[in-house]
Amino acid sequence: SIGNLEGNGHTIKNVSINIESSGGLIKELKESMNNVNFENINIVNDTSGNYVGIIGNNSGNLENILFKDIEIHAKNRSFVGCIANNTADKINNITLEGITLEGIQYVGGAIAYTTEREITNIVGNDIKITATGNYVGGIIGSLPWIDYTVRPYTNSIKIENSNIKGNSYVGGAYGYGRLYKVDGINNTVEGNSYVGGLSGFAYTHTRNSTVRNSTIIGTGDHIAGLAAHHNGTYYCNVYDSTIKGIGINSNDVAGLVGKGWGTPSGCSVQNCTITSNGSNVGGINGIGIGAQNSFVYNTIISGYSNVGGINGTLEAHGGTIRNTYVNADITAVSNSVGGLVGYLNNQADTGVSDNNTTEIYDSAVYSTNIKSNNNVGGIAGRSDKELYADKLFDGIYVEANLEGEENSI
């Protein structure tokens, strides 16, 4: 164990160790570590259990740390990362270069597990993670929040040129965690369910984050360019990326968020390809309660059923789409495809201004191709019951080519 370590820019390098217990090069850091480089370090642990890293357990504040050319092979262990477990309040300015990790679950390039703390300015490049379990992230495996009502304390994160593989709750940056000022560039993220370009499960106050030139692939459900699940996303964008649901039941697949119980605002999906063999496939949301001040541009969207330019399925109970536009090629192999919404689940809609009102207004569909066998619509492919016009469906413009055996709405 180490109390305090001031490195003055010195490097610990060229170390190879085989261990059989929990821990790592440094079993525990207690107080602080600053200005230290770790380079060309290889750790192998073939035993079962938890906690393997350059630092096994960290409770000390860290600043100006470089992890370069690090390999940790612990395929029978969970909580695997450059830092296996963190309880420190502040970590700042960490650089990751050439990191290779193997583990079961709770695997992260920088930190395997930590609650939300002042963790800032983390940059990762060329990170390769192979995990067989859940909670797998390029930067942090699992980052549960302490107070979901405030913006995330962990922010200013970047990961690029990386390949992240796990089972469920898999993300380019976080397997599980809220996003604030997080960027992912040229990454490949693969998993089963809850697979996101940046986070497998983002919850509230997800904002100011971007994905570019990335590929996100899932064999299960909840697969998305940004986050597989959210409860509020603001000012986030996905560019030039491919999102694939390749399982037979890969439902809730989208360019931005797979499943959302918040309304994305100020978001976009541009120049992307979104495909799934399942249902609830959308440009912004796979399934959720809508979007506002957001758009989808020059994007291909394809699924089995319930496929829409904004939402694959729009739920009632306050579901709203407003001030949005779509420019896309949208296809449902079976049925229910729409320029804005594939399936409008408005069975509980009362048509009055309460929590059971569905609203789509001040939105447009431009130069868009919409195709399916049945239930093809410029606005929505299918709804459970008749729409309430008046203000609830107003100010909508559609310029689209519709192809199908039956047109609706």
Side-chain angles (χ1 to χ4, degrees):
S1 298
I2 293 176
N4 295 283
L5 177 59
E6 172 53 65
N8 294 313
H10 286 84
T11 300
I12 300 170
K13 63 189 299 186
N14 301 329
V15 178
S16 293
I17 57 174
N18 285 270
I19 59 176
E20 296 183 352
S21 60
S22 300
L25 185 66
I26 300 171
K27 185 170 185 178
E28 183 178 15
L29 178 70
K30 296 182 177 180
E31 299 295 335
S32 68
M33 182 167 66
N34 303 301
N35 306 305
V36 179
N37 304 320
F38 296 92
E39 184 175 346
N40 192 26
I41 296 174
N42 188 303
I43 298 174
V44 176
N45 188 322
D46 290 328
T47 66
S48 60
N50 298 323
Y51 306 112
V52 181
I54 301 298
I55 303 171
N57 185 61
N58 177 60
S59 55
N61 294 337
L62 307 178
E63 187 159 13
N64 301 329
I65 308 297
L66 169 67
F67 296 103
K68 183 177 181 181
D69 298 331
I70 307 295
E71 293 192 22
I72 303 175
H73 300 281
K75 61 184 180 180
N76 298 317
R77 285 191 169 247
S78 297
F79 298 91
V80 178
C82 288
I83 302 166
N85 182 59
N86 175 68
T87 57
D89 291 328
K90 293 184 180 181
I91 296 177
N92 180 55
N93 197 23
I94 307 298
T95 300
L96 308 162
E97 286 276 356
I99 310 296
T100 300
L101 304 177
E102 285 184 289
I104 300 176
Q105 59 188 8
Y106 296 101
V107 182
I111 305 169
Y113 180 88
T114 180
T115 55
E116 268 187 16
R117 296 166 186 269
E118 290 186 35
I119 301 171
T120 55
N121 300 308
I122 314 297
V123 177
N125 181 52
D126 188 22
I127 297 173
K128 297 179 177 66
I129 297 178
T130 303
T132 56
N134 307 330
Y135 304 106
V136 181
I139 302 296
I140 300 174
S142 182
L143 179 69
W145 46 89
I146 296 172
D147 183 356
Y148 71 85
T149 65
V150 301
R151 292 187 184 184
Y153 302 113
T154 302
N155 63 78
S156 302
I157 310 293
K158 182 179 181 180
I159 182 168
E160 56 186 337
N161 306 316
S162 296
N163 193 311
I164 315 301
K165 295 182 180 180
N167 183 38
S168 295
Y169 299 101
V170 182
Y174 312 145
Y176 184 97
R178 304 190 299 163
L179 301 166
Y180 182 34
K181 296 181 180 179
V182 181
D183 294 316
I185 303 170
N186 194 34
N187 301 312
T188 299
V189 184
E190 301 178 64
N192 180 25
S193 296
Y194 289 94
V195 182
L198 291 181
S199 178
F201 194 103
Y203 205 52
T204 62
H205 287 289
T206 286
R207 59 178 62 233
N208 304 101
S209 297
T210 301
V211 172
R212 294 180 183 271
N213 302 311
S214 293
T215 300
I216 299 93
I217 301 171
T219 58
D221 52 21
H222 300 87
I223 302 150
L226 186 84
H229 180 99
H230 84 114
N231 284 61
T233 299
Y234 312 92
Y235 313 113
C236 293
N237 303 284
V238 178
Y239 303 101
D240 306 305
S241 295
T242 299
I243 299 95
K244 296 181 181 180
I246 62 174
I248 191 170
N249 293 313
S250 288
N251 301 325
D252 308 339
V253 177
L256 194 76
V257 288
K259 186 173 185 178
W261 300 123
T263 303
S265 180
C267 298
S268 75
V269 173
Q270 303 181 51
N271 307 314
C272 292
T273 299
I274 305 157
T275 61
S276 180
N277 295 323
S279 301
N280 305 333
V281 183
I284 298 292
N285 298 296
I287 184 172
I289 59 172
Q292 60 183 355
N293 307 319
S294 299
F295 68 91
V296 175
Y297 175 76
N298 192 34
T299 289
I300 296 170
I301 307 168
S302 176
Y304 181 75
S305 64
N306 303 346
V307 184
I310 298 295
N311 270 46
T313 292
L314 177 65
E315 297 284 356
H317 308 289
T320 299
I321 292 177
R322 71 175 181 88
N323 195 25
T324 65
Y325 77 81
V326 172
N327 164 245
D329 284 338
I330 310 170
T331 303
V333 173
S334 178
N335 65 84
S336 303
V337 62
L340 296 175
V341 176
Y343 165 47
L344 176 55
N345 181 10
N346 66 339
Q347 185 63 45
D349 199 333
T350 61
V352 297
S353 295
D354 58 22
N355 288 333
N356 289 331
T357 297
T358 306
E359 301 178 319
I360 303 177
Y361 62 100
D362 295 343
S363 294
V365 178
Y366 296 106
S367 301
T368 289
N369 298 310
I370 306 169
K371 180 180 178 179
S372 187
N373 290 327
N374 296 293
N375 300 326
V376 182
I379 301 172
R382 175 170 65 96
S383 65
D384 281 325
K385 65 184 198 179
E386 185 177 355
L387 304 181
Y388 294 93
D390 197 20
K391 294 192 304 180
L392 305 185
F393 293 88
D394 193 19
I396 300 174
Y397 175 85
V398 176
E399 177 199 329
N401 296 316
L402 276 62
E403 182 179 343
E405 297 177 1
E406 174 189 342
N407 291 345
S408 63
I409 304 181

